[in-house]
């Protein structure tokens, strides 16, 4: 997983929609002075009733001294067969849930889907790669 400010994100033929999340929770440690510093957790995946979609949950922690005002998440979703062979990877983007105040964590779930025709019977998707660009 990569979190790099200022890197342009690819366009995508897939979709990602956000689910409402709780309000940001302050952390026990005080944020450092300076710019925003966003740390993103490994994706936590959960299946849905459609083989071409899954719910992906991320924890976003801003340990910097300023709020994250805007940004984009890029999901790398792999199309995998029953034997575990990776047949394709599709990218999709979604906006960050901003603002993320300095010193807070936010947990958010996105439903990430690829085109249904890309996932034949017997195959499934796995969103393994996540990168974030923020300001």
């Amino acid at each position: 997983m990569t979190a790099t400010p200022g890197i342009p994100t690819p366009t995508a033929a897939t979709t990602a929609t956000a689910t409402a999340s709780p309000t940001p929770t302050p952390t026990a440690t005080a944020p450092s002075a300076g710019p925003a510093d966003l740390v993103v957790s490994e994706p936590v995946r959960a299946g849905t009733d459609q083989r071409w979609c899954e719910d992906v949950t991320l924890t976003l922690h801003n340990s910097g001294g300023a709020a994250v005002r805007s940004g984009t998440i890029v999901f790398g979703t792999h199309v995998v067969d029953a034997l575990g062979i990776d047949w394709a990877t599709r990218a999709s983007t979604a906006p960050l849930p901003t603002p993320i105040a300095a010193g807070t964590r936010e947990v958010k779930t996105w439903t990430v889907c690829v085109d249904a025709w890309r996932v034949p019977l017997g195959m499934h998707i796995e969103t393994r790669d996540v990168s974030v660009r923020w300001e």
Side-chain angles (χ1 to χ4, degrees):
M1 161 178 11
T2 309
T4 308
I7 301 295
T9 57
T11 58
T14 56
T15 60
T17 56
T19 304
S21 68
T23 57
T25 307
T27 60
T29 60
S32 63
D37 184 18
L38 193 62
V39 178
V40 182
S41 69
E42 290 293 322
V44 176
R45 302 175 14 246
T48 64
D49 58 346
Q50 299 170 323
R51 70 181 177 280
W52 55 88
C53 294
E54 69 180 353
D55 290 333
V56 178
T57 302
L58 297 172
T59 300
L60 308 164
H61 178 213
N62 181 1
S63 60
V68 174
R69 299 180 316 266
S70 64
T72 305
I73 299 175
V74 179
F75 297 101
T77 304
H78 300 255
V79 179
V80 181
D81 71 11
L83 297 175
I85 298 171
D86 190 337
W87 287 86
T89 302
R90 306 300 301 167
S92 60
T93 61
L96 273 176
T98 55
I100 302 172
T104 61
R105 291 181 194 270
E106 184 157 334
V107 178
K108 185 113 177 166
T109 299
W110 289 265
T111 300
V112 180
C113 298
V114 300
D115 296 321
W117 65 268
R118 294 184 182 278
V119 188
L121 287 172
M123 297 181 94
H124 64 280
I125 64 168
E126 296 177 5
T127 302
R128 300 176 187 164
D129 311 315
V130 176
S131 63
V132 178
R133 183 186 63 81
W134 74 90
E135 295 177 16

